[in-house]
Amino acid sequence: MTESGHRVRVVPTAAALRFVGAPTWAALSGQPVADEVWDGVHEVPHVRIGKSADLVVVAPATADLLAKAAHGIADDLLTNTLLTARCPVIFAPAMHTEMWEHPATVANVALLRERGSLVIEPASGRLTGADTGKGRLPDPSAIFAFARRVLARGPAAAPANPPPTGLKAELADLQGRHVVVTAGGTREPLDPVRFLGNRSSGKQGYAFATAAAARGARVTLVSANVALPDPAGADVVRVGTTEELRKAVVAAADGADVVVMAAAPADFRPAAVADQKIKKAEDGAAPVIELVTNPDIAAELGARKPPGQVLVAFAAETHDAIENARGKLRRKRADLIVVNEVGVDKVFGADANAATVLAADGFETRFDERPKEDLADAVLNLVVRQLSSTTA
C-alpha cells in the first residue's frame, strides 16, 4: 500500500508485536506505531486514526479480533479505532478451520457483514503445523487488489458505523448474493501433449471475481487454465475442458443470484483423442482431425435460468461484433451480454478492455478502454440494477 502511494498507519495488537516489532512497522510505513490508547494521548489517537482513515484493513483478523469487533469491545488502540472508523472496514480472517467454522465465529462474521463490514472469505491450504483446510490468510497481493477495489468506489460508498439507511447498500450492494464467475480458456486434448485452445488469460474473469467479492458477494470462480493468484474472497474451482467447465458451472449456478460467463470455452473439440502423440507422416502429409461442436454452456444456463437470476454472457468477436452479439443475446436468453472486439494483441492478456454491454430490454451501454477491474465494476453496476428491478 505504501509503495503504491497510499499513506499507511499501522495499528498492531500486542500479539502482533510478538511477531514483528514496532520499529519494523514504523520503517515500512513511514508513520509512528503504537498499540495502546495511552501512547501519544495528547493527539487522541483512538479517535483521530479511525476518523481520518479512508480505509481500514485488518489482516490477519483472528477469531478473537472478529469477536471483539462484532461486540464493540475496545481494549486496545486497534479495537478503539474500529469503533471510530467512518470508512470501509475490511477483515481478512486467518485461523484454523475449526475456529472459522465454529458457530460463534460464524455469528460474529454474519453480524459484521450485516453492519456493512467486508469480511473476506479465507483461503484454503496449509495452516499452522501439518493442518490444511479453509482458514488460510489470502495472498497479500490479493488482499491489496481487494482493498484497491473498495477504495476505487470512492468515499461516497463508505458507510458510517453504524451505517445510516441506504449507505451500507452502496458499499456492499451484493451482500448476501451468490455470484458465479467463469474465467480463462478451456483446452480440448488432441493427444497426450497437444490441445485446441484460445488466447484467454482469465484476467477479465478474475477482475469480476475480485470486484464482486469487494461488493460483499459470496463468489464462486470457475477457472479454466489460468496462471493468476486466487482472488481474495473467492472459492476457486479449477477445470480444464469445456465439459468440465459446463459441469462445474451448472452445479454452481443452482441457486446463484448472478452468473458471469467471462470464460472463453472452446467451440469445438476433437471427435477422438489419440492415446499416443500423433507423429508426422513420412510423406509429410498432415493428419485429418475431425471436430465436433462443444455444448453452449451459456445457452444451457439461459434455458434453465430461474426467476430473479441475472445471466451475463460474453461475445468475443473479430467482426460485426454488435450484430453478432445481439443474436447471441437472444439465443442464450441472457440478461446482459458484454461485447469485445478481439484478436492478436487485442483484449486477450491485456490489462485494459473496452466493451459494449447489450441488455435484453434493448438498452445499450458503451464503455471506453479502462482497466479490466474498472470495467468489471461498471458491468456489475448494471447487474445490481437488474437485481433491484427483479426484487422491486
Side-chain angles (χ1 to χ4, degrees), residues 258-271:
V258 181
V259 181
V260 180
M261 295 295 294
D267 291 327
F268 312 102
R269 70 179 186 274

Side-chain angles (χ1 to χ4, degrees), residues 253-333:
D254 185 21
D257 298 286
V258 181
V259 181
V260 180
M261 295 295 294
D267 291 327
F268 312 102
R269 70 179 186 274
V273 180
D275 56 6
Q276 295 182 340
K277 180 181 176 181
I278 300 173
K279 299 290 188 179
K280 290 182 180 178
E282 291 185 3
D283 61 2
V288 176
I289 300 172
E290 180 184 358
L291 299 177
V292 296
T293 303
N294 270 325
D296 188 326
I297 304 172
E300 180 179 350
L301 293 174
R304 62 195 299 170
K305 183 165 68 75
Q309 186 181 83
V310 176
L311 174 61
V312 183
F314 276 67
E317 303 290 343
T318 58
H319 62 284
D320 300 328
I322 300 299
E323 181 180 346
N324 288 332
R326 287 198 178 102
K328 288 183 176 181
L329 180 64
R330 291 190 298 270
R331 291 194 304 273
K332 298 176 189 292
R333 303 180 192 179

Side-chain angles (χ1 to χ4, degrees), residues 1 4 6 55 57 90 118 120 138-153 203 206-215 228-233 373-374 377:
M1 297 291 286
S4 62
H6 297 284
L55 178 69
V57 181
I90 298 171
L118 293 162
I120 302 174
D139 187 87
S141 63
I143 298 175
F144 171 66
F146 188 104
R148 188 172 60 179
R149 278 296 87 208
V150 175
L151 283 170
R153 301 193 65 199
K203 288 182 177 180
Y206 273 53
F208 270 101
T210 296
R215 296 170 84 138
L228 297 171
D230 292 349
E373 293 85 353
D374 292 345
D377 251 331

Side-chain angles (χ1 to χ4, degrees), residues 83-314:
L83 287 180
T84 58
R86 295 296 183 267
C87 62
V89 178
I90 298 171
F91 294 93
M95 64 195 73
H96 272 68
T97 307
E98 294 81 2
M99 299 173 72
W100 174 250
E101 295 176 347
H102 192 281
T105 305
V106 171
N108 290 332
V109 169
L111 183 56
L112 289 168
R113 286 172 171 167
E114 182 183 336
R115 292 174 179 162
S117 296
L118 293 162
V119 184
I120 302 174
E121 287 290 313
S124 296
R126 182 71 177 269
L127 305 173
T128 305
D131 292 345
T132 60
K134 189 167 187 177
R136 184 181 177 88
L137 185 72
D139 187 87
S141 63
I143 298 175
F144 171 66
F146 188 104
R148 188 172 60 179
R149 278 296 87 208
V150 175
L151 283 170
R153 301 193 65 199
N161 192 4
T165 302
L167 210 51
K168 180 178 71 172
E170 293 179 23
L171 175 66
D173 51 13
L174 289 175
Q175 182 70 52
R177 303 286 193 174
H178 180 201
V179 177
V180 177
V181 181
T182 68
T186 61
R187 297 176 179 178
E188 305 298 334
L190 176 60
D191 62 22
V193 298
R194 300 184 181 93
F195 60 85
L196 297 179
N198 56 64
R199 299 177 183 272
S200 178
S201 66
K203 288 182 177 180
Q204 187 64 77
Y206 273 53
F208 270 101
T210 296
R215 296 170 84 138
R218 177 169 71 90
V219 178
T220 301
L221 175 62
V222 184
S223 177
N225 306 297
V226 176
L228 297 171
D230 292 349
D235 290 322
V236 182
V237 180
R238 290 179 173 80
V239 298
T241 67
T242 299
E243 180 57 26
E244 291 172 352
L245 177 68
R246 188 194 73 80
K247 289 180 179 178
V249 174
V250 168
D254 185 21
D257 298 286
V258 181
V259 181
V260 180
M261 295 295 294
D267 291 327
F268 312 102
R269 70 179 186 274
V273 180
D275 56 6
Q276 295 182 340
K277 180 181 176 181
I278 300 173
K279 299 290 188 179
K280 290 182 180 178
E282 291 185 3
D283 61 2
V288 176
I289 300 172
E290 180 184 358
L291 299 177
V292 296
T293 303
N294 270 325
D296 188 326
I297 304 172
E300 180 179 350
L301 293 174
R304 62 195 299 170
K305 183 165 68 75
Q309 186 181 83
V310 176
L311 174 61
V312 183
F314 276 67

